[in-house]
Amino acid sequence: LKGPKEKGTMGEPAPRALAGSAVERVLIGVAGLGHVGKAFVGLVQDKADSLRTRFGLDLKFWALLKSDGGLISDSGISLEDLAGLDQSRLTLSPLWKTGLGVEDVLPRSGPGVFVDCTPSNIQTGEPGLAYIRTALKAGWHVVTAGKGPLVADFEGLRGLARDNHLGLGFSAATAAALPALDIGVHSLAGADVLSIEGILNGTSNFILTQMGEGAPYEVALKLAQVRGIAEPNPALDVGGWDTAVKLLLIANSVLGLGLTRGDVQVEGITGVRPEDLTQARRKGRAIKLIGRIRREGDRWRAEVGPVSIDRTHPLFGVEGTNKGITFETDTMGSVTVSGGKSDPRGAAAALLKDIIHVFRK
Ligand SMILES: NC(=O)c1ccc[n+]([C@@H]2O[C@H](COP(=O)([O-])OP(=O)(O)OC[C@H]3O[C@@H](n4cnc5c(N)ncnc54)[C@H](OP(=O)(O)O)[C@@H]3O)[C@@H](O)[C@H]2O)c1
């Protein structure tokens, strides 16, 4: 079997995207071919030319894994092989192998990038946790859309990546297309971050926005589900837990705190009444589900809950499915970023961005 690329090793800087420069061939293994996994495969195909010319990267799909098996090809899985990623047709592909698992796939090749798009379980971290550990131990860089594995073992996975000199990207798990981690980790380097506040869950923000316009909670939730914004089971979103785990991943990355789920006080939006929102609106205020971490004496206090904010608050104008985050710093003042697509293609774009950054380093 061929290695990941024709020359050099995965940890070396990518060739610059200059005319005549070499293009680095990178093997990609994907686990989870649901909304995000499919969007990622499609995005890499759409962007193939620009990845080659701008970043010197030729991403080749080596393995695509579902829960019951997968496709694997030494020469790269082509668009035709993928049959539009139609789940029922995938198993008919000559490349399909029932029971194929990550432990069969990764050690068989030279290293590449493993892309985890499996469902998130914030209690156990599985199945992504075992996949990511296997990938890092096999020398593969990892990018993940799943919050579960990172919440379950943030320090362990980061340590494994660090010890093996590998990238571990998780932008897609921390508000996806909103570059929250990039700002906190890279753009604010050298400044002391004094507090972080974020609207980090598009579903809750959409529901609160609708309720602010007079819709009862159930109607707003139904509308979010009909539009594909809310999942059939929206408990983690409306219960505040999605916001809480994003907040703790961002806080742990930016502030190096080592927080776990038990350190965040969490309240969701199910207790917010439409009259609270209309009343707030009349006073020129808005109620938002905000995840916040700030210093109290010599301790950090992390909490998620509905908060009434006024027009001067930097997150006041973050409406609908948009998200936003504000960092208060000692030397750079208050820095806010908002927007970022809240959909599987936005999450796929965050995965791709993390891959590009791994090779830029
Ligand atoms: N949807 C979004 O906009 C979004 C945004 C940011 C982050 N995320 C995160 O991205 C991840 C994927 O989300 P999604 O919306 O794509 O979910 P999804 O549509 O449910 O897709 C997950 C896929 O993983 C497959 N799967 C389950 N167990 C597996 C296993 N052991 N090995 C390989 N594949 C397995 C499932 O199909 P089979 O069982 O048929 O293989 C399913 O199709 C989640 O962790 C989510 O929290 C999603």
Side-chain angles (χ1 to χ4, degrees):
L1 298 174
K2 277 188 190 158
K5 58 198 169 72
E6 305 305 325
K7 55 186 178 187
T9 59
M10 289 289 294
E12 290 172 358
R16 293 286 73 98
L18 300 174
S21 68
V23 171
E24 187 163 14
R25 182 167 175 264
V26 178
L27 293 189
I28 302 289
V30 182
L33 296 177
H35 295 97
V36 175
K38 274 192 210 169
F40 175 75
V41 171
L43 184 67
V44 168
Q45 284 165 349
D46 293 349
K47 298 270 183 188
D49 287 345
S50 100
L51 286 168
R52 237 179 254 117
T53 53
R54 290 180 60 202
F55 302 105
L57 294 174
D58 177 19
L59 305 189
K60 282 275 171 251
F61 290 108
W62 151 260
L64 300 175
L65 298 173
K66 284 169 49 67
S67 56
D68 52 352
L71 308 175
I72 185 164
S73 167
D74 297 348
S75 53
I77 300 168
S78 70
L79 193 59
E80 294 74 48
D81 297 325
L82 297 175
L85 283 175
D86 178 330
Q87 304 280 338
S88 57
R89 287 170 63 197
L90 275 182
T91 52
L92 302 176
S93 161
L95 303 178
W96 173 263
K97 291 192 172 33
T98 300
L100 189 73
V102 74
E103 58 294 332
D104 308 313
V105 163
L106 301 187
R108 272 181 53 184
S109 76
V113 183
F114 176 74
V115 182
D116 170 41
C117 302
T118 58
S120 269
N121 180 326
I122 63 168
Q123 263 88 35
T124 66
E126 300 298 352
L129 182 57
Y131 280 1
I132 294 173
R133 282 183 180 145
T134 305
L136 291 172
K137 284 178 187 163
W140 283 61
H141 298 288
V142 171
V143 298
T144 179
K147 292 166 277 290
L150 294 153
V151 174
D153 188 18
F154 187 77
E155 289 305 328
L157 294 178
R158 295 245 294 191
L160 203 50
R162 202 172 37 243
D163 294 348
N164 291 297
H165 308 289
L166 295 165
L168 172 62
F170 48 95
S171 296
T174 52
L178 181 79
L181 265 188
D182 297 346
I183 301 282
V185 173
H186 298 286
S187 309
L188 303 179
D192 284 349
V193 172
L194 308 173
S195 69
I196 303 173
E197 271 189 317
I199 294 174
L200 300 172
N201 181 265
T203 301
S204 309
N205 203 43
F206 175 84
I207 291 172
L208 289 177
T209 303
Q210 290 295 319
M211 287 173 71
E213 287 163 12
Y217 172 79
E218 289 73 20
V219 173
L221 173 59
K222 191 83 208 149
L223 185 62
Q225 285 169 328
V226 167
R227 293 200 187 164
I229 297 162
E231 295 189 25
N233 179 0
L236 288 181
D237 294 333
V238 299
W241 279 104
D242 180 78
T243 300
V245 295
K246 285 172 181 163
L247 178 71
L248 82 83
L249 293 178
I250 294 167
N252 285 352
S253 306
V254 175
L255 302 167
L257 296 182
L259 298 178
T260 61
R261 281 188 300 137
D263 298 317
V264 191
Q265 201 181 313
V266 183
E267 184 189 338
I269 61 166
T270 48
V272 179
R273 300 166 309 167
E275 53 266 38
D276 298 332
L277 285 145
T278 39
Q279 230 171 57
R281 206 173 185 188
R282 244 179 263 129
K283 292 180 189 157
R285 302 178 72 88
I287 296 177
K288 303 285 186 189
L289 182 69
I290 290 195
R292 176 159 61 188
I293 180 156
R294 59 194 157 157
R295 205 179 252 291
E296 274 187 2
D298 55 358
R299 299 189 57 185
W300 288 90
R301 182 180 169 83
E303 59 198 341
V304 174
V307 178
S308 168
I309 56 176
D310 67 22
R311 286 182 186 282
T312 62
H313 193 286
L315 300 176
F316 182 84
V318 178
E319 299 274 19
T321 57
N322 280 336
K323 290 170 283 195
I325 191 163
T326 298
F327 297 90
E328 290 294 337
T329 73
D330 61 341
T331 49
M332 297 189 185
S334 171
V335 176
T336 298
V337 60
S338 67
K341 251 182 145 208
S342 275
D343 67 5
R345 193 160 163 97
L351 289 165
L352 183 58
K353 170 190 70 180
D354 280 350
I355 293 176
I356 292 168
H357 285 319
V358 164
F359 288 90
R360 272 186 168 159
K361 281 180 196 146

